[in-house]
Amino acid sequence: VNVTPVNDAPTVVVPVGQLVAEDTPLVFSAASDNSISVADVESDGLTVTLTASNGVLTLPSIGGLTFVTGSGAGDATMTFSGSVAAINLALDGLEFLPNLNFNGVAGIALVVADAGFSVPANVAVTVTPVNDAPVTSADGYTVSEDGSLTVGAA
């Protein structure tokens, strides 16, 4: 009996939708119970593309990864390849930072590929607003003695 192996698609595990406050990083990790991980039963080499909407992504480690796009630090999009172990090490601690003062719907799109399959996954992120302190400016005015000054609304 000859058994011919076939390529099985890689798998991706992502958490349910996440919630984070404006201007605050969101860390995906096993310790926070919101980890992202990949697997492939017959291949140890995968390619991963991560794309952030309304934010940027940073990996905590990049050892064992080869980058095609991005650097792993502050990227809106990055594509890298490596072993399953190196990729999962890099994903444990992945940080999503919303764009400055952004609030609303954001997210992370992932595509994990082996030699024959590409598997997409998404993580929805809701960025809640925060009450930012008012911003003032130091306006200067000069007026002559006994003169008058009218200042309009900015």
Side-chain angles (χ1 to χ4, degrees), residues 20-124:
V20 67
E22 171 186 319
D23 302 331
T24 304
L26 172 62
V27 176
F28 294 87
S29 68
S32 299
D33 200 28
N34 66 346
S35 62
I36 298 172
S37 64
V38 299
D40 195 346
V41 295
E42 77 278 318
S43 174
D44 194 39
L46 297 174
T47 299
V48 176
T49 298
L50 300 172
T51 304
S53 62
N54 298 309
V56 294
L57 301 166
T58 298
L59 298 171
S61 66
I62 59 169
L65 302 180
T66 302
F67 282 83
V68 175
T69 305
S71 65
D75 298 319
T77 298
M78 64 178 81
T79 300
F80 53 88
S81 59
S83 69
V84 170
I87 291 169
N88 283 330
L89 183 64
L91 291 174
D92 190 23
L94 171 69
E95 179 184 280
F96 170 80
L97 180 63
N99 292 335
L100 185 63
N101 293 320
F102 172 81
N103 64 76
V105 177
I108 302 171
L110 298 91
V111 177
V112 179
D114 67 4
F117 292 97
S118 292
V119 177
N122 292 289
V123 180

Side-chain angles (χ1 to χ4, degrees), residues 111-141:
V111 177
V112 179
D114 67 4
F117 292 97
S118 292
V119 177
N122 292 289
V123 180
V125 177
T126 300
V127 181
T128 59
V130 297
N131 187 9
D132 294 324
V135 177
T136 61
S137 61
D139 293 333
Y141 301 96

